[in-house]
Amino acid sequence: MEVKTITPPIVQLEGVAKSYGGAVALARLDLDVRAGEFFTLLGPSGSGKTTTLRLIAGFERPDTGRILLDGADVARLPPFDRNVNTVFQDYALFPHLTLVENVAYGLRAKKMPKAQAEAEAEKALEAVKLGAYGGRKPAQLSGGQRQRVALARAMVNKPRVLLLDEPLGALDLKLRHQMQAELKRLQHETGITFIYVTHDQDEALSMSDRIAVFSEGRIEQVGTPFDLYERPATEFVADFVGTSNILGHALLRPEKVRLQPLDAPVPEGANAKPGIVRESIYLGAVTRYQVVLDDGALLAVMETNSVPLGNRLRLNAGDQVLAVWPKAAAVNIGN
Ligand code: ADP
Ligand code: MG
C-alpha cells in the first residue's frame, strides 16, 4: 500500500506579475514550493529567475498577485521580516572582518550577545567544513571557500527558506561539482527548503527534487528531473533540458538510438533508418555522433563505449549506418 503525505506549500506565488518600465519581466506566474524541497528555477539568461527570487525575498514588489510564505501573505513585509535568506553569486563578504565575524554579523545586528553569536557562527562554519578557518579574513580563502562562508552566513539565521541565485557560477567545473554535492548534503542535514537559480541544466537535473523551467517570464513546465527529460511539456523544455531530436511532434533522445551496420538484423518493433555519419566525437565514456539520415534529417546519437574495444563498431565520418530505436522511445511532446 502506498502512503502519501500531502505537505502544504511553504512558498506560493499566485498570479504574480512584474514589469520594469514597459518591459515584462514576469507574466502572471503561479508557483508552489513544498517544505523541504530542493526546488530549482532553470532557464536562459533574462527569463525571469532572479526577478522571481527577489520577489520571494522581498527586494521587489509584485505589480499584481500574491506571495505567501507558510500560507501568510507577505506582500507588506520587508526582507528582514521574512523567514528567508538569500545567497548571491558575488559573495559580498566584509573584507576587514574575520570569517566568524562575517557569519555572526547578522545575528549581532539582531542584538544577539557577542559570545552567543560567535558560537553560532562557529557552528555554521563547521557545517560548511570551515571550522578551522574562523579567524581568517576572506582574502585568505579560495573562491569555493568564500562561497561556503556566504552559505554559512545565510544558514546561521536558520531560515525556513534559503534562496540561492547562481551561487556556483563563478567557480570552475571541478569545484562546482564538489559544491553541488556539499549543497545537497547541507540541505539534507538541515531540512531547509532551497530555491535554487541556475541556467545550467546539468546542475538542475543532478540537484533538484523539482524544477521550474522558465522562458521569457513564463514557466513552461514544473516537474521532476525525470519528468522534464523524459516527458517534456513543450519543445522549449525538450530543447533546453538535454539534447533532443524532434521528429515531427515526437522527441527522441540521443542515447535511445543505436547505430548498427546496414546489414545487421533490426530488433522487432524498432524503427530503423539508414544514414551516413557526419561527425564522430569520442568523449571517453561515450561517443557523440551526428548522423545525416537518407531522408535528410539530422540525428544526434550518443553511444556508451561499454563494449570492449575490438568488439565495438567504431564509426567515423562517412560511414554508412542504420539508426535504430524502439518505437516507444520516441515520445510525443506535451503528453
Ligand atoms: P534571469 O535571472 O533569468 O537572467 P532576470 O529576472 O534578471 O532574468 O530578468 C528578467 C527580465 O527583466 C530581463 O529582461 C531583465 O533585463 C529585466 N530586468 C530585471 N531586473 C531589472 C531592473 N531592475 N530594471 C529593468 N529591467 C530589469
Ligand atoms: Mg539572474
Side-chain angles (χ1 to χ4, degrees), residues 308-326:
L309 215 77
N311 202 350
R312 193 177 71 220
L313 181 65
R314 294 164 74 190
L315 297 167
N316 298 303
D319 286 350
Q320 287 197 309
V321 290
L322 204 55
V324 177
W325 63 91

Side-chain angles (χ1 to χ4, degrees), residues 13 16 25-33 39-53 55-56 195-199 204 210-223 228 234 236-237 240-241:
L13 271 60
V16 168
L26 285 183
R28 279 201 54 83
L29 206 73
D30 294 306
L31 187 66
D32 283 357
V33 178
F39 192 95
T40 295
L41 315 183
L42 172 69
S45 174
S47 57
K49 308 180 297 293
T50 293
T51 303
T52 305
L53 222 56
L55 284 161
I56 296 169
I195 304 183
Y196 190 90
V197 164
T198 182
H199 64 267
R210 289 193 306 150
I211 301 168
V213 181
F214 278 66
S215 168
E216 297 181 353
R218 290 168 201 284
I219 291 179
E220 294 268 325
Q221 184 174 6
V222 179
L228 300 186
T234 65
F236 179 86
V237 175
F240 195 75
V241 179

Side-chain angles (χ1 to χ4, degrees), residues 47-173:
S47 57
K49 308 180 297 293
T50 293
T51 303
T52 305
L53 222 56
R54 291 175 60 81
L55 284 161
I56 296 169
F59 299 125
E60 303 279 357
R61 290 277 166 90
D63 301 334
T64 60
R66 299 204 310 158
I67 296 171
L68 299 100
L69 297 181
D70 278 323
D73 194 333
V74 293
R76 299 183 179 286
L77 291 184
F80 51 84
D81 280 338
R82 300 183 185 196
N83 202 350
V84 160
N85 269 91
T86 311
V87 178
F88 299 100
Q89 185 179 323
D90 47 19
Y91 323 119
L93 301 176
F94 298 116
H96 57 289
L97 300 183
T98 66
L99 302 198
V100 167
E101 288 163 347
N102 261 286
V103 175
Y105 189 87
L107 300 175
R108 294 287 289 141
K110 286 186 217 158
K111 310 281 181 240
M112 188 183 278
K114 187 162 188 251
Q116 191 190 347
E118 296 199 340
E120 292 289 327
E122 306 256 13
K123 263 194 276 173
L125 283 168
E126 263 161 42
V128 297
K129 304 214 169 111
L130 286 175
Y133 292 68
R136 292 202 189 182
K137 301 273 176 71
Q140 294 166 287
L141 300 179
S142 70
Q145 290 171 329
R146 263 178 246 169
Q147 185 53 282
R148 299 223 289 268
V149 179
L151 208 59
R153 196 178 49 178
M155 303 229 309
V156 79
N157 297 308
K158 303 194 169 67
R160 289 271 286 152
V161 181
L162 191 62
L163 309 173
L164 303 106
D165 195 350
E166 312 232 8
L168 311 183
L171 306 181
D172 66 50
L173 192 62

Side-chain angles (χ1 to χ4, degrees), residues 169-299:
L171 306 181
D172 66 50
L173 192 62
K174 190 157 181 215
L175 201 51
R176 212 153 81 204
H177 285 154
Q178 280 172 17
M179 281 299 294
Q180 286 170 1
E182 193 83 341
L183 281 172
K184 281 295 279 183
R185 179 184 64 81
L186 279 170
Q187 198 252 344
H188 191 73
E189 283 175 9
T190 59
I192 296 173
T193 305
F194 277 34
I195 304 183
Y196 190 90
V197 164
T198 182
H199 64 267
D200 180 335
Q201 46 125 346
D202 287 330
E203 190 164 289
L205 288 178
S206 68
M207 298 180 82
S208 317
D209 294 314
R210 289 193 306 150
I211 301 168
V213 181
F214 278 66
S215 168
E216 297 181 353
R218 290 168 201 284
I219 291 179
E220 294 268 325
Q221 184 174 6
V222 179
T224 63
F226 184 89
D227 292 337
L228 300 186
Y229 190 80
E230 301 289 345
R231 297 280 181 269
T234 65
E235 230 178 277
F236 179 86
V237 175
D239 213 45
F240 195 75
V241 179
T243 306
S244 57
N245 297 297
I246 309 286
L247 313 169
H249 289 291
L251 162 71
L252 179 63
R253 295 292 189 189
E255 73 281 5
K256 318 271 198 230
V257 182
R258 294 278 77 83
L259 298 179
Q260 55 181 61
L262 282 178
D263 54 1
V266 175
E268 205 165 325
N271 279 326
K273 289 194 174 190
I276 293 174
V277 174
R278 187 168 88 174
E279 192 176 75
S280 157
I281 302 174
Y282 177 78
L283 295 170
V286 299
T287 300
R288 287 187 179 282
Y289 296 101
Q290 294 281 352
V291 177
V292 184
L293 300 178
D294 287 1
D295 65 14
L298 190 64
L299 199 65

